[in-house]
Amino acid sequence: MWIYQKQLQFPVNIRETNPRLAKAIISQFGGPDGELAASMRYLSQRYHMPHPEAKAMLTDIGTEELSHLEIVGSVVRQLTCRLTADQMKAAGLDDYFVDHTTGVYLQSAAGAPFTAAYLQVKGDPITDLHENLAAEQKARTTYENILRLSDSPDVNEVMKFLRAREIVHYQRFGELLRIVQERLDSKNFYAFNPAFD
């Protein structure tokens, strides 16, 4: 059970129209390393985690990723809400406009629609936590790539906040991996289990 507060985790107040930047940022909405993929990955993996702390952390981080999805969607919307047809054409968004007008659609910067194939749920706690560590680093890199492309102070503050949260999530997953490994090793699990020789 979650309690939803009707406010963004970080304020978004974009004053300029910038469809080219929106085209890049939308990847964090519905792309392979974006917030929806992260949320679905963690909220799905929590069911098979062997310890209550692991389930709780995956629930907490998965839920926070949904709040990041709201932030990214708000950025994209504010960057595109006052677009003219000429600005759409200049940014190479003609095809997007035909299909979605200026709606915020789940897709990557390259235009590939969201797919569950972006995420992995293996059912093995060690494997899934390593997947999560990699996912957080890929998201951090994507935010850094966006920051390299952006000259908008309004956008950059939001991207820096989201990048910082990816780093925190990476650290939490690293801590959780150590805890889970120690507990599994103490039960003669995985590498220490003769059945796997």
Side-chain angles (χ1 to χ4, degrees):
M1 178 72 178
W2 293 292
I3 297 171
Y4 178 71
Q5 294 179 346
K6 295 184 179 185
Q7 64 184 37
L8 294 177
Q9 186 183 14
F10 189 89
V12 176
N13 185 19
I14 312 298
R15 293 172 282 199
E16 74 276 2
T17 298
N18 190 331
R20 205 170 269 302
L21 190 52
K23 185 178 178 183
I25 292 170
I26 204 162
S27 223
Q28 283 302 87
F29 191 72
D33 305 314
E35 302 295 352
L36 182 63
S39 179
M40 295 299 98
R41 177 184 301 109
Y42 308 150
L43 292 174
S44 297
Q45 290 174 356
R46 70 189 172 141
Y47 292 105
H48 67 269
M49 281 293 157
H51 310 296
E53 307 93 304
K55 291 179 195 302
M57 187 177 296
L58 285 163
T59 301
D60 290 347
I61 295 175
T63 303
E64 183 177 347
E65 300 289 8
L66 287 174
S67 73
H68 296 172
L69 184 71
E70 286 184 301
I71 293 169
V72 173
S74 296
V75 170
V76 171
R77 175 64 183 145
Q78 290 180 25
L79 285 169
T80 59
C81 66
R82 294 174 294 280
L83 280 180
T84 67
D86 289 338
Q87 288 172 313
M88 277 292 218
K89 289 178 192 173
L93 290 173
D94 308 47
D95 296 341
Y96 184 94
F97 182 77
V98 168
D99 289 339
H100 310 293
T101 318
T102 57
V104 182
Y105 179 69
L106 291 163
Q107 73 173 46
S108 71
F114 179 80
T115 172
Y118 289 156
L119 53 111
Q120 185 53 263
V121 178
K122 198 67 170 173
D124 177 295
I126 304 298
T127 302
D128 283 346
L129 289 170
H130 278 284
E131 165 80 14
N132 300 350
L133 287 163
E136 293 297 329
Q137 288 300 309
K138 291 186 281 184
R140 177 196 51 80
T141 300
T142 303
Y143 282 120
E144 289 176 358
N145 290 342
I146 291 167
L147 285 164
R148 288 182 183 99
L149 295 173
S150 173
D151 60 358
S152 166
D154 294 338
V155 169
N156 291 353
E157 287 308 306
V158 179
M159 297 300 112
K160 288 176 185 176
F161 168 79
L162 292 168
R163 178 185 61 182
R165 296 307 301 159
E166 304 299 345
I167 294 166
V168 169
H169 294 167
Y170 177 81
Q171 293 167 340
R172 296 295 84 79
F173 283 133
E175 293 164 5
L176 186 59
L177 177 62
R178 285 187 291 281
I179 291 168
V180 169
Q181 283 178 317
E182 287 171 7
R183 289 185 182 172
L184 292 177
D185 290 348
S186 71
K187 294 180 179 179
N188 194 26
F189 205 75
Y190 294 117
F192 301 102
N193 189 329
F196 289 102
D197 287 344

